[in-house]
Amino acid sequence: MKNKNKLSAYIDTVWLAVGEVVIGVLVTLGFIIAKALGAEVVIYKAITGALLGGAVTVVNFLILSVAINRAVSSYVSEIGEKKMDDEEAEKYAKEHGTAVQNAMTKSYLLRMFLMIGSLVLAMISGWFSPVATVIPLIMYRPVLYTVEFIKTKLNGKRGG
C-alpha cells in the first residue's frame, strides 16, 4: 500500500507531462496558423519554447511532489504508531510544523527560481519563443484540473 501512495505522485506527474505535451502541440499549431496568416514567427522557436515551458512545469511539479512526500513522510515517521489525542497532536504539530514549513518554503523558492530562469533564458538566448515558453507554464493548473476531472469521471464510471 505504501508503494502505491509513493507511485501516485509520480503518476500525477506523468499525467501532467502528457497534458503539457498536448499544450505544446496546441501552441505549435497556433504558431503555424499565425505564420500561415502572415505573422512574423519562427516555428522552431515555438517548438523549443513549448518544450522548455512544458519541461519546467513538469520538473516543478515533480520537485513539489518530492518535497511534500518527504516532509509528510518525515513527519509521520516521527510519530510512528503512537496514538495521539487532539491536544497531543496539536502540540506535536506546533513543535514540528516549522520544519515542514521550511521545507515547503525551500521548495517554493527553488521552483520560482527555475521558472524565472526559464523565462529569462527564453528572452535572452534567442533559441526560444518567450510566448511559447510562458503558455505551458501558465497552463499547468488547467491541465491538473482537467486530469482530476477525467480521473473523477473514470472513477465514477468504475464505481457506479
Side-chain angles (χ1 to χ4, degrees), residues 101-118:
Q101 188 64 35
N102 287 341
M104 293 298 98
T105 301
K106 287 178 187 176
S107 169
Y108 178 77
L109 290 174
L110 174 64
R111 293 180 300 114
M112 287 301 108
F113 285 133
L114 186 60
M115 284 184 9
I116 291 168
S118 69

Side-chain angles (χ1 to χ4, degrees), residues 17 20 38 54 68 129 135:
E20 288 295 334
I68 288 173
S129 165
I135 293 172

Side-chain angles (χ1 to χ4, degrees), residues 46-57 117-119 121-122 125 128 132-133 136-137:
I47 294 169
T48 57
L51 287 172
L52 177 64
V56 167
T57 300
S118 69
L119 292 174
L121 177 67
S125 72
F128 309 96
T133 303
L137 291 173

